[in-house]
Amino acid sequence: MHSRDLIEQYKTYVQEWRRYFHKHPELSNEEFETTKALAKELESMGVEVHVDDVRKTGLIGIIRGAKPGKAIGLRADIDALPVQEHNTSEYKSEVDGKMHACGHDGHMAILLGAAKMLMQMKDRLEGDVYLVFQPAEETGGGAPEFIKFGDWFEKIDAIFGGHVWIDLPAGLVSVEAGERMAASSLFSINVKGKQGHGAQPHQAVDAVVVASAIVLNLQTVVSRNVSALDSVVVTIGNIHSGSEWNVIPGEATMGGTVRFFDPRQEEYIVHRMRQIVEHTALAYGALATLTYEKRVPPTINDESCSALAEQVVIDTLGADKLSKMRKVMPGEDFAWYLQEKPGCFAFIGIQNPDVDAVYDHHNNRFNMDDSVLSAASAVYAEYAIAWLQRNK
């Protein structure tokens, strides 16, 4: 039996689980009921389950193959976002201010479907499959923390995962080698000027003016300090200053993010940012400091793993379902796994205007065409089988 033969059989099963998770979202590191539901379902299949009993969120399921061999991990993230849903579907979020607005509900459903398929095809498994249901992806720190849970990461020899993607038409799958998602870092800037009366600006050092100048000058990091052939983003996401209409504020704070693919660029980018922040402030008679924090490295697919994934997609879904997609600037903590293990991260198309699946990730109207998710389950399952057979 091949995974392609099970796509229709588990289509409704995968859809129903995706909608269940969508109705019951839980935020990062709070996925307690989600973990219980996953554990119960996996145990009902006969899967060996190991729950993180310290944090009470996240679990590993193990499917032992009929024949001995190596081990591969299949990963799904399980956390939702603090977003108020504006959709009106029957499966909309039942929790105020929380929503699966990034597609992790789909990822869990895909992996449950893959587990069902693998349990039905254990005779083809030449090794073990670790089902990785990881919490807190949205924080960027979920993966490195989950690596510390038990010994599952030591035991696997490769890892496969994916992300449903709204820019890709439903049913298409992209598994290219190389750079796929950017490194993601965050930074904060604190500006200190001199508070004063709004009618006497000459007696103050306006933190708003200083902050504004810093925002504009930081744009030159990308436009003038980085090669036009490289992909880098520097974004200011928030500015906070002042509280009264007639008071010149003496302090301002800002927060933002940096995205890039080449880790060798990071030191220089941060160096230039710090120079611009400090020297711009000094030019206005103020002081400013930059605090920088790494979150996730770039997601870079292994060439051999991606080549195998391409063949699996063709064999399982057909050549017309294999898509090429440009790398993207959002970050993904799956990258931490790829720092130590070979693997592949796929993009799974879910865009379909007919079901209003057109809104971007993290949007309060985000939705997906979940009728294609069981096809993704088949790709996950078949990839595990193929990788274990090739690497026995």
Side-chain angles (χ1 to χ4, degrees):
M1 180 180 290
H2 193 283
S3 300
R4 75 173 80 90
D5 304 319
L6 300 173
I7 293 173
E8 284 302 314
Q9 179 179 338
Y10 290 114
K11 181 177 177 179
T12 300
Y13 172 85
V14 175
Q15 278 185 301
E16 288 178 347
W17 270 109
R18 179 258 159 169
R19 295 180 182 193
Y20 169 82
F21 291 128
H22 194 84
K23 289 170 69 175
H24 303 93
E26 294 180 297
L27 302 182
S28 301
N29 295 314
E30 298 176 5
E31 310 96 331
F32 308 117
E33 296 305 316
T34 300
T35 298
K36 290 177 184 177
L38 287 165
K40 183 178 179 180
E41 179 61 14
L42 290 168
E43 287 170 346
S44 75
M45 299 180 202
V47 174
E48 180 182 328
V49 174
H50 300 267
V51 175
D52 186 342
D53 287 328
V54 175
R55 294 192 298 172
K56 309 294 184 184
T57 176
L59 63 85
I60 298 293
I62 306 175
I63 300 176
R64 311 282 183 186
K67 301 174 184 177
K70 293 188 175 182
I72 185 171
L74 301 178
R75 178 269 205 165
D77 37 17
I78 68 175
D79 52 331
L81 286 160
V83 172
Q84 182 65 46
E85 181 158 13
H86 285 195
N87 290 318
T88 57
S89 63
E90 61 180 15
Y91 53 86
K92 69 178 181 180
S93 172
E94 295 181 353
V95 186
D96 244 14
K98 300 178 185 180
M99 177 189 175
H100 272 292
C102 198
H104 299 185
D105 49 346
H107 302 165
M108 289 184 278
I110 288 169
L111 193 48
L112 284 178
K116 276 280 194 182
M117 295 175 182
L118 287 167
M119 290 299 288
Q120 200 166 332
M121 298 185 295
K122 286 179 69 174
D123 60 315
R124 294 182 60 206
L125 274 178
E126 300 184 44
D128 300 332
V129 178
Y130 283 68
L131 308 171
V132 183
F133 289 92
Q134 175 216 304
E137 188 280 331
E138 294 292 352
T139 70
E145 279 301 311
F146 206 53
I147 285 173
K148 302 173 186 176
F149 166 50
D151 60 359
W152 72 270
F153 194 65
E154 297 170 25
K155 289 187 174 180
I156 65 168
D157 301 288
I159 191 163
F160 183 87
H163 207 301
V164 294
W165 208 249
I166 199 64
D167 294 326
L168 201 61
L172 300 185
V173 180
S174 163
V175 288
E176 288 103 305
E179 298 171 345
R180 304 310 295 139
M181 301 186 79
S184 173
S185 301
L186 61 83
F187 63 87
S188 61
I189 298 169
N190 183 260
V191 178
K192 289 190 176 181
K194 180 182 178 184
Q195 188 168 314
H197 197 292
Q200 300 183 113
H202 61 290
Q203 295 181 357
V205 177
D206 194 335
V208 169
V209 171
V210 178
S212 300
I214 289 172
V215 172
L216 292 176
N217 290 342
L218 281 175
Q219 305 313 303
T220 63
V221 173
V222 174
S223 68
R224 290 296 179 268
N225 297 138
V226 176
S227 168
L229 300 177
D230 293 327
S231 300
V232 176
V233 169
V234 176
T235 292
I236 298 290
N238 62 69
I239 301 178
H240 302 280
S241 185
S243 59
E244 299 297 331
W245 65 277
N246 62 347
V247 176
I248 292 174
E251 291 196 30
T253 59
M254 295 178 277
T257 184
V258 178
R259 306 296 168 103
F260 56 89
F261 286 95
D262 186 348
R264 295 171 298 181
Q265 293 179 318
E266 183 175 29
E267 184 177 350
Y268 177 69
I269 292 169
V270 177
H271 169 69
R272 286 296 295 136
M273 289 177 63
R274 184 164 280 115
Q275 280 186 321
I276 289 169
V277 167
E278 293 176 355
H279 292 176
T280 299
L282 285 173
Y284 286 85
L287 295 174
T289 55
L290 171 75
T291 303
Y292 182 85
E293 179 185 340
K294 297 182 181 183
R295 277 299 172 96
V296 299
T299 302
I300 302 175
N301 282 348
D302 176 81
E303 286 192 15
S304 63
C305 289
S306 288
L308 177 60
E310 287 189 357
Q311 193 57 53
V312 166
V313 172
I314 292 169
D315 293 344
T316 307
L317 307 181
D320 61 323
K321 299 301 183 184
L322 181 64
S323 175
K324 297 293 183 182
M325 194 182 103
R326 295 168 64 185
K327 61 187 180 183
V328 296
M329 299 309 291
E332 164 61 59
D333 78 353
F334 186 86
W336 288 111
Y337 301 134
L338 297 179
Q339 295 286 292
E340 299 182 46
K341 306 283 182 176
C344 178
F345 193 74
F347 290 108
I348 301 146
I350 53 166
Q351 179 194 98
N352 186 350
D354 292 341
V355 295
D356 211 26
V358 295
Y359 296 95
D360 198 13
H361 298 266
H362 294 209
N363 187 287
N364 52 26
R365 294 195 62 191
F366 175 81
N367 198 9
M368 70 179 75
D369 181 352
D370 54 19
S371 69
V372 302
L373 298 185
S374 64
S377 297
V379 171
Y380 276 53
E382 202 59 36
Y383 183 86
I385 292 169
W387 191 93
L388 291 171
Q389 289 177 344
R390 177 172 291 190
N391 293 277
K392 59 187 176 181

